[in-house]
Amino acid sequence: MKPQLKIRCIQVQKIRYIWDFSVKEFKKVGSLEDSNTCQSIHHKFGAGLTREEQKIRQLVCGPNAIKVEIRPIWKLLFKEILNPFYVFQAFTLTLWLSQGYIEYSMAIIILSIISVGLTVYDLRQQSTKLHDLVEEHNKVQVTVCTKSEGCKELESCYLVPGDMFLLDGKKLSLPCDAILIDGTCIVNEGMLTGESVPVTKTPLPLVESLMPWKTHSMEDYRRHVLFCGTEVIQTKATGKGPARAIVLQTGFNTAKGDLVRSILYPKPVNFKLYRDAFKFIVGLSVIGVFGLIYTVCVFVSHGKPVADVVTMALLLLTAAVPPAIPAALTTGTVYAQRRLKKKKIFCISPQRINICGQINLVCFDKTGTLTEDGLDLWGIIPSEGSRFQKIHKFPSSTPLPWGPVCGAMASCHSLVVLDKKIQGDPLDLKMFEGTHWEIEDCSTAQDGAGALNICVVRPGMKASSAPVEGIAILHQFPFSSGLQRMSVVSQKIGEEQYDLYMKGAPEIVSSFCRQDTVPVNFLKELKTYTSQGFRVIALAHKVLNLGKDVDVNSLEREEAESELVFLGLLVMENRLKQETKPVLRELAAARIRSVMVTGDNLQTAVTVARNAGMIHTGSKVILIEAKEPEGSAPASIAWRLAEDCKANTAAPRVCANTEEKITLEGETYNYHFAMNGKSYQVIIKYFYNLLPKILVNATVFARMSPGQKSSLVEEFQKLDYYVGMCGDGANDCGALKMAHAGISLSEQEASVASPFTSQIPNIQCVPELIREGRAALVASFAVVKYLTLYGLIQFVGTALLFWQLQIFGNHQYLIQDVIITLLVCLTMSLTEAYPKLAPYRPPGQLISPPLLLSIILNVCFTIAMQTCGFLLVKQQPWYVALASQRHCSPGNQTVPPTSPGENATSSGPQSTVLSYEDTTLWPLSSINCIIVAFVFSKGKPFRKPIYTNYVFSVLLALQLAICLFLFFADIDAVYSGMQFLCTPVIWRVYVLLMLLVTFCVSLFTEDVILQNKHLWLLIKALFGYQSNSQYRKWQRMLQSDPSWPPLNAKDIGAKSTDEIYINPTYENSDEE
């Protein structure tokens, strides 16, 4: 070893990369090389590493810890305050405070502090929660063995890839990913899969094969791997000593590290609303700049001092931009979050609530989300002499009679007894319970060949009488998704002969049986049950002719599993949750697409989709089967109609009816595509150009891995869908993070990974969330519209007064700003969501024609009204330019225009506030604000009517009353405080009439014209406007394409992997 060892490394999103000089590139470190074969893993690392190797590896790979630092509050604060919103706000407030306008400035400052505080608190909470979640696994004590020094206890942060450690029977939370090389383990993988079912792990076989170990074990390499963060419940040693494992990956490279990274570095979600609000503020600032130029011109032409010109110009600039926008947007989402909390839906990123209002496609996981968690045993169809016998239904009054079927059900499983409770796969559990047998605690019997793990099952009290005392399960060939079967070697107690029982997928099991024992109508019978949505499992048996002292553990699986006798079919049912159907119906009525993404098999998934109403009764299902290129054959894709066929072939072929031609009506396509994860992978790799066409009408995706689920969500997003994902458990974590709104139905860790968590474990939360999202979105728009108009109403009023070098008084501003606007902003969003989902979505952008028109028209009305008032008052017979008559009392005492302390902005002998114009414009602009608040808080179709928001309605009435009182009360104190002049009562009535006209016109344009869905559809049709969303384009294209959907067709893909070959028949339709 060199005396000093230096390496160059970089860290990207917590993963370390080392510069490799030989190939001149960065290499990822922190895991064992994938190229190791089974044999090399056993030989190279089986005895442990030397101290030197450990030291070098520690230096290169770094500590084995998943460290998440809690972000310091000052950092979070700093990031939040540098938001351009707040920067502008600081500028505005400084100016106002310098002008002595203290009350409103303080109110805005307090509001902003609360808004920033809430955001920072939220982020800090998330950070702490994540830190606590991973911290406990960083300090686990493990026994590590080295080559020369034997075994000693170490803290888990010193582990390196290649280390060998012992699993000595204690319960242990695994601190790293490891390969089991000796002994067996039972672990709880709830943290990764969301299902807290104990999983049995088997040691990596010691075989002389040149293939890398992962390839050798194919899809099942996972059953030799112990994953980080999972819990070892029980270990079983072999004759050679305690169970041993080799560290495979450390730190953030592990399964848990991956999960934590997906939470730390989510795909950034672009909040359109905030972007648009920012554009809005820029637009308003531009208007403000025009005001600034106008003010400078007016004041300079009157020869005012520079200081006055500057302050007045800046005042008008800031009048146009309301500083309360960010705070108001925050309050809206905070209220929505509170309403969701009442409905037991918790949210960790409140900004996403608005996005939920845009969702138009929801992906559902099947098991535990649409259907109940477990399976129920429905019945058994025994087979004898190659004929199916009478079905035995469950639950039944008579117990299952003793026979090979009962033997298979009692012994062919991987159940274990932990803490006096039987645990294991729910399917195994239900099957075993159906026999009424019992498991004894597994003992370790000592015999010549070392310790054998023997599990004994005996008939229970309720079981049918059996001629056997019990069955000893001697050896297991574990279940794996790749092989789709499991088998056990057992022996009846007190007898010599050995039995092998197998259970698994019916097509697979029947292929291992002697064909003369398989009933002729096997496929037809199987089809009958799978097409009704039952889960069917086949059982088979064989007597093993083994010698007396044979070691069962050394049996070859291939040899043992052959020439079996078919025993029958086990039928289980997976019931839909009762809420599933009505919720899916509600979503369909609201024109929100539902898609099923599941790990279950395709046939079952399609049936569940039909039963749940995702696929309507009259609709056709087209199965897509894509194959990887094999040898000289290129990749291919086959389309078949799923039909019930009387096919008597050996393998169940779904054949297609050729005469079917599918007609499309409007948007309701009556065909749906269904495929499995393998086909999806092939399509992405070789037929990517077909993917959008398929996704526009695909409804069922079966056998999807977690990675494929995320990829699918992303592909849907590329088509401009707003995707919601509803799943349970952490195997959906990636997809939950990737979707615009991920909802996890679990109390488990997925709640950290998904923005929303529902404590009520059914899909009712989906429409709830969409309803609240829509209400929140509409409320946000309403608040932004209101604030914009309030800014512009003030701007117009102030600009008119500036024409004659006047300005509203401080108290006049205060009433508009605090009593009206602040309270409106805080209570406007309290209106609840409308209970029925409308069949269309609220507009997604602030900058959309109806919204902009609404603002522009209302601004025009306010300009017209205020200008009218301003000009008309000058025409009145009692009008004087320099008025000082304040009282409406008969005694005509005159009052000096203004006493020195009365108004900070007075200059010279003439008051800058007192004038008939000011007295006329103030009620016009103040009550206009109230009118606009009323008109913009539209109820249906997304929110309940305005009168259900009691606080808001009462406030509006009070505000109106206050304004009218101040305007109509002939009280001196009021006049001097508000700086009004006395006007004749008839003039005040005229002002009210102007306001009434404005109200009617505004309400009419908003409700009858701008919010009229049919009118907009008509306008769109007239101008030939079509939606720009990708999926809409594809839908329009496919509607006019007679060759789509292809049936009974087969497409050939390209030979090479890199380029995507486009089938000539599709080329023309692809060009838009």
Side-chain angles (χ1 to χ4, degrees), residues 621-914:
V621 177
I622 299 173
L623 301 181
I624 299 180
E625 211 175 303
K627 288 202 174 80
E628 289 255 2
E630 281 173 39
S632 58
S636 66
I637 198 171
W639 320 76
R640 286 204 205 78
L641 248 187
E643 284 281 272
D644 296 317
C645 292
K646 313 290 171 280
N648 293 333
T649 43
R653 264 282 152 262
V654 185
C655 53
N657 188 343
T658 24
E659 285 85 78
E660 288 288 358
K661 186 71 200 102
I662 286 174
T663 52
L664 300 176
E665 11 170 16
E667 265 190 28
T668 52
Y669 300 120
N670 52 2
Y671 65 92
H672 297 262
F673 291 128
M675 67 175 96
N676 61 21
K678 263 193 192 127
S679 300
Y680 174 74
Q681 207 61 44
V682 175
I683 290 171
I684 279 201
K685 206 167 163 189
Y686 301 98
F687 298 97
Y688 194 73
N689 59 311
L690 286 180
L691 192 64
K693 293 182 169 190
I694 293 170
L695 290 187
V696 168
N697 290 313
T699 305
V700 178
F701 295 88
R703 292 266 183 252
M704 297 284 274
S705 68
Q708 288 169 341
K709 286 184 183 182
S710 322
S711 144
L712 178 70
V713 168
E714 202 175 357
E715 291 301 335
F716 272 130
Q717 286 171 338
K718 283 183 194 164
L719 290 179
D720 297 335
Y721 278 109
Y722 277 83
V723 184
M725 167 83 198
C726 181
D728 61 335
N731 50 355
D732 297 334
C733 262
L736 290 171
K737 284 299 276 188
M738 182 68 70
H740 289 108
I743 316 160
S744 78
L745 307 179
S746 71
E747 280 286 81
Q748 286 196 318
E749 287 186 20
S751 57
V752 185
S754 73
F756 300 96
T757 308
S758 164
Q759 281 193 335
I760 300 167
N762 60 49
I763 62 170
Q764 265 170 326
C765 56
V766 175
E768 278 303 345
L769 189 62
I770 294 176
R771 271 195 284 273
E772 284 302 341
R774 287 178 171 188
L777 189 64
V778 172
S780 303
F781 284 178
V783 167
V784 172
K785 266 165 67 172
Y786 170 75
L787 281 171
T788 309
L789 260 163
Y790 138 78
L792 290 173
I793 288 171
Q794 250 189 22
F795 178 80
V796 172
T798 313
L800 284 171
L801 284 179
F802 273 9
W803 184 249
Q804 45 195 37
L805 308 185
Q806 287 182 317
I807 188 169
F808 287 122
N810 268 1
H811 287 144
Q812 296 176 359
Y813 271 135
L814 194 66
I815 284 191
Q816 283 184 7
D817 292 345
V818 177
I819 297 203
I820 299 179
T821 298
L822 254 189
L823 294 177
V824 163
C825 286
L826 291 178
T827 56
M828 202 175 197
S829 316
L830 281 173
T831 317
E832 295 192 358
Y834 195 67
K836 185 175 179 297
L837 277 176
Y840 49 89
R841 300 177 295 162
Q845 295 130 308
L846 263 174
I847 302 174
S848 62
L851 251 148
L852 286 177
L853 259 178
S854 164
I855 289 175
I856 292 165
L857 288 175
N858 275 295
V859 170
C860 293
F861 302 150
T862 197
I863 291 177
M865 178 180 68
Q866 293 197 36
T867 318
C868 271
F870 184 72
L871 296 174
L872 281 177
V873 75
K874 290 183 187 294
Q875 312 300 320
Q876 301 308 314
W878 41 262
Y879 171 79
V880 236
L882 289 178
S884 59
Q885 172 74 27
R886 174 171 289 156
H887 313 273
C888 285
S889 46
N892 250 351
Q893 334 104 296
T894 53
V895 172
T898 169
S899 49
E902 205 165 72
N903 181 22
T905 49
S906 60
S907 57
Q910 185 214 334
S911 157
T912 50
V913 176
L914 284 178

Side-chain angles (χ1 to χ4, degrees), residues 515-586:
Q515 282 312 303
D516 56 325
T517 62
V518 180
V520 187
N521 59 346
F522 165 73
L523 283 172
K524 190 171 159 224
E525 193 79 2
L526 176 63
K527 194 85 207 276
T528 320
Y529 291 103
T530 52
S531 62
Q532 292 173 53
F534 288 114
R535 175 101 176 259
V536 184
I537 285 158
L539 302 169
H541 164 243
K542 158 186 186 183
V543 176
L544 291 174
N545 301 316
L546 300 173
K548 260 206 158 151
D549 301 322
V550 71
D551 178 13
V552 192
N553 290 335
S554 60
L555 272 178
E556 280 292 322
R557 186 166 190 165
E558 283 70 40
E559 198 182 313
E561 297 180 330
S562 60
E563 296 289 302
L564 285 91
V565 174
F566 186 78
L567 293 180
L569 298 174
L570 193 67
V571 183
M572 327 269 296
E573 83 181 311
N574 190 346
R575 300 197 181 108
L576 281 180
K577 290 186 180 171
Q578 61 196 47
E579 299 81 9
T580 300
K581 260 181 152 164
V583 167
L584 290 175
R585 214 174 295 133
E586 184 180 3

Side-chain angles (χ1 to χ4, degrees), residues 974-990:
V974 170
Y975 276 124
S976 58
M978 290 298 298
Q979 297 172 299
F980 282 162
L981 288 178
C982 177
T983 52
V985 175
I986 186 72
W987 174 246
R988 302 185 223 181
V989 175
Y990 283 154

